[in-house]
Amino acid sequence: MSLYERWCDATREKDKRKHYWTYVEKEDGRDEIRDALAETIRSHDDRLERIAEDVDRLGYKVAAEILSEAMPQTSKGRSGDLGEILATELVEEVNRAGFSGG
């Protein structure tokens, strides 16, 4: 079962050309996904860090530096990535499941 399926109740409606998605957290949803969410967040951060390390190892120092600088450096910057990670996970889940608008 996917992260959002375990975490939230979802409704999807279609009105002409627009799609409305509503996600409401289940009563124990946060507890249900706590470990999976932590792993998901780590995996997103690790990917970019690993790519930067690989690029550096291959001798592309400037490119590695650019990638490293792209990673959030402050706690405030890192916390801003959570929304991007959650949005990415939602889009990936919807794409895997096949979207039907309503």
Side-chain angles (χ1 to χ4, degrees):
M1 186 179 285
S2 69
L3 183 74
Y4 277 90
E5 287 175 321
R6 293 179 3 222
W7 185 13
C8 300
D9 290 318
T11 58
R12 296 183 181 150
E13 300 174 17
K14 183 178 179 183
D15 180 19
K16 296 182 184 174
R17 296 185 325 165
K18 297 180 182 178
H19 298 265
Y20 299 95
W21 300 356
T22 305
Y23 288 81
V24 177
E25 186 174 50
K26 294 177 182 178
E27 187 168 329
D28 295 323
R30 215 171 292 189
D31 291 333
E32 174 68 26
I33 58 111
R34 181 170 279 119
D35 292 338
L37 181 59
E39 184 60 34
T40 298
I41 292 167
R42 278 192 296 273
S43 74
H44 279 260
D45 286 340
D46 287 349
R47 277 184 259 175
L48 186 55
E49 189 172 328
R50 270 190 256 133
I51 291 169
E53 289 170 359
D54 289 345
V55 168
D56 184 51
R57 188 173 41 78
L58 291 169
Y60 298 100
K61 304 295 182 192
V62 174
E65 187 175 315
I66 291 168
L67 287 170
S68 293
E69 289 174 5
M71 292 185 284
Q73 304 298 317
T74 65
S75 59
K76 184 176 181 180
R78 286 188 299 271
S79 68
D81 280 348
L82 179 59
E84 292 176 22
I85 292 169
L86 293 174
T88 299
E89 288 299 312
L90 177 60
V91 168
E92 288 177 2
E93 284 182 21
V94 168
N95 283 337
R96 276 192 302 267
F99 176 71
S100 73

